Amino acid sequence: MINTNLITCTLCRSYFADPRQIPCSHSFCFDCISGRFDDDALLLVCPKCEKLHQYNSREEFENRCMRDGFLASMVAQFKKNQSRSAAISSGLLSRPTSSMSQIAPIHRFTPIRMLSQDINLSYEQSYSERSTPSIYNQQRSSSVLPQATNRIFRAKCQSCNIKDELIICTHCDNVICFKCADEHKSIINNDVKREWKLCKTKFDIIHERSMHFEADQEVCECKARELQVSIDHQSEKLIQTVNNYKNAYFDLIEKHLRTYKQLFAHEQVMDEYESIDERVNNLLRSTDITAEKIGDFSFEIEHLESRLDNLNKLLDSNELKFPVLTLPEQIDISSLFGTLEFIPLDSDSSHIDDLPYKPDHDDYIFIEPLQNKSNKIDQLLTPLPIPLAPKKKLLWQLDYKSVPYYVRTYNHQLFVCDKYGYLSIYKLNKPNDFRTKPVFVREIKLFSDNPISTSDEDQTIIDSFVVYKLWIIVFKRKKNELNGTIYLFTHDGKPVPNGKYMHNHPSREFTIDIETNILWSLDQKQLCLFYYQLPDQIKLSSNSTEDYFQNRYSHVQFSKPFAPKHISVNKNVLAVLDKNRQAVHVYDKQTRQELYEHVNNYNYTTHFCWDMALFSNNSLLIKLDETSTLKTGPSKHIYLQLDTTNQRNVIGIIEEIDAYGMIITTTDEILIGVRINTKGTVKCYA
C-alpha cells in the first residue's frame, strides 16, 4: 500500500496535482507553490525548510520548478488502486447472498487482485456450498502478503484458457483456475525473491558506502577543526599587528608633540626676560649704579638677545604641523584570511582555488583574492595561491652541452655559459631577432683548469658572466669565498692581454647596462648597490683596462635587514631583489628614487622568490622556486609576468623544472636555461 502522507501536498493537504520540485528538493502542487512566489522581490521561501531562493524573473521561477514525475506516478497508481478496490467491493455487494456463500476463504495463500469489471465473468444462477480444495488449506511459508479472502468465479482461465472455477490474483489482476494457482503463485514468489535479492545487494553496497562515509566524515571534521584553529591563530596575529601599528603611531605622535614642545619651549626665556627686566628697573631706580653692575647686565642682555634670535630662526624655519592619518583603500576584512571553499576529500588540494566562476548554490564561500593593498603590511598578509594566467608561448629551444647557468645576448649573438667556463656562441638571423631560432657558431673553453679534479672547497666557479660591447666579463671565485678574480675575454672567447684583476670586494652578480656602459654589482656586506663606469670604444686607448675596475661608485645604500640578492636593469630603471622580505625594489637610474616595491605574496610558504627581471615597460618577471624540491630535486619553478598596474596582476605564466639562467631580451622575449641531466637546453618564450 502507498502511504498517503507521501502523496499529500503540505500546503493544500490534498493529493498532489501537478507536483513540482523546487531547488531545495521539496515538492508541492504547482498552483500552491506559485502562490507563495513574491513577484516584487522575485523571491521564494520554501514552506518546509525556509530556505531562500532568488530568481531573476517569474519565468525563471516557473522554468526551474521541475515536474516531479515520481510523485505524479505514485498519485496516479494510488488513485488507480482505489478505483479497483471500489469496483470489486461494489461487485461483491451487488450479488445475492446465495452466491456470496459460494466463495470459500483461502488461508495463507498469496493474495491476488483484479478489477472485476475488466473480466468477462459468467456467473451461474445458483451454487451449492463447496469447500476450497485441500491444497489451499495447507500452510504456505512462501506467502508474500498477509492472508486474505479470495472470490471464486466461473470463466476462462487466463493461464490455460479453460473455463472453470477461477480466483482473482490480487497481485497481478489475472484470473486463474485452481489447477494453475500453484504455478502462478510460484512465479510470483520467484519474482519476489529476485527483487528481494536485488534489494539486499543494494542495501549491502549502501551500507558499505555509509561506513566509509562515516570514516571520511571524521577526517573532514578533523580537518575542519584544524582550519578553525589556524584561522583563530591568523586572526590573533592580525589583531596583534593592528595593535602594534596603533601603538607605533601613538608613539610617533607623542614624539612629534614632545619635539615641538622642547624645540619651541619659551618658558625659560620668559623667566629670564622677566628676571632681567625687574633687576634692570631696580638698578635704574637706585642711586648705586656702578660700571661693574652695568657690565653684568650687558652680558645677560646679550645672552638673552642671542637666545631670542635663535628662537626666532626656529619659528621662521619650522612651521607647526599636526598629524593626519591617510585612510587606506577599502579592504574586505574577510579577504585577509584567503579563499574558503569546500572540496571533495579525495581532490587535489593544490587546485582548490581554480574555480573560474562563482557557483549558483551555497556550497562555496567565494572571496575575491587580496591584491597588494598596502606594501607596509605585506608580510602579514595571507599567502595568495598561484593565480590562473595564460601560459607563455614557447618559440624555440636549442641544445647545450652543459648546464646553462648564464644566458646573455649582445647585438646579433647569443652566449650560453656554465659555471666552469664552457661557452657556446649562437648567431641570430639578424640583430635582436629572437623570434627565430639561433644557429650554432662555435664552442669555447674559457679556462683550462679542470673543475672535476679539485676538491669541492677549492673548486672555482663563475659567479657572474656578462657580455659588454668590448669584452666578455667573468667574475670567478672559490665556492666558499666572496672575493675573487675578474677576467676579460673578447667576443671570440680569447683572453684580453693583462685582462685579469683581483677583486677584493664581496661582490655579487655583475650586470651590464649596455646603454650607459655601466657595470652594476651588489656588495652584500656593505649592503649597497654600486657601479663601475666602463669605457666606450673611443676611450679604450687612453686608459689601461685595470683602471676601470679600481674605482667603484655607490648608487643606493640599503639598511638591515635588507639582503640584496639579484639585479636587473633596462633603459630607465633598475631593480634589486631583497631575499629576506621577498620584495623587489625598483629605482629610477637617474634620480635614485624608489618608484615602487613589489612583495611576493604568492604562496611564499611553499614558493621562494629567487630571481627577477625587468621588461622594457618597467614591469616584472619573478621566478618562484618550490621550496620542497630545492634539496631533493628535480627543482620546480614558476615564472610570473606582472603588469604595470599598482596591483601587479599576473598576465603570463611559465612552468619549468631545473631552470637556471634567465634573461629578458631587448624585445621582451624570455630566455631560460634548463638543465636536463648533465646537459641542458635554452628555451625562448614570448
Side-chain angles (χ1 to χ4, degrees), residues 140-153:
R140 300 187 180 267
S141 60
S142 60
S143 297
V144 295
L145 293 175
Q147 123 181 3
T149 302
N150 293 268
R151 296 166 292 284
I152 304 175
F153 306 98

Side-chain angles (χ1 to χ4, degrees), residues 654-666:
I654 300 172
E655 295 181 4
E656 282 294 352
I657 295 178
D658 282 347
Y660 288 87
M662 175 183 74
I663 191 173
I664 296 178
T665 68
T666 54

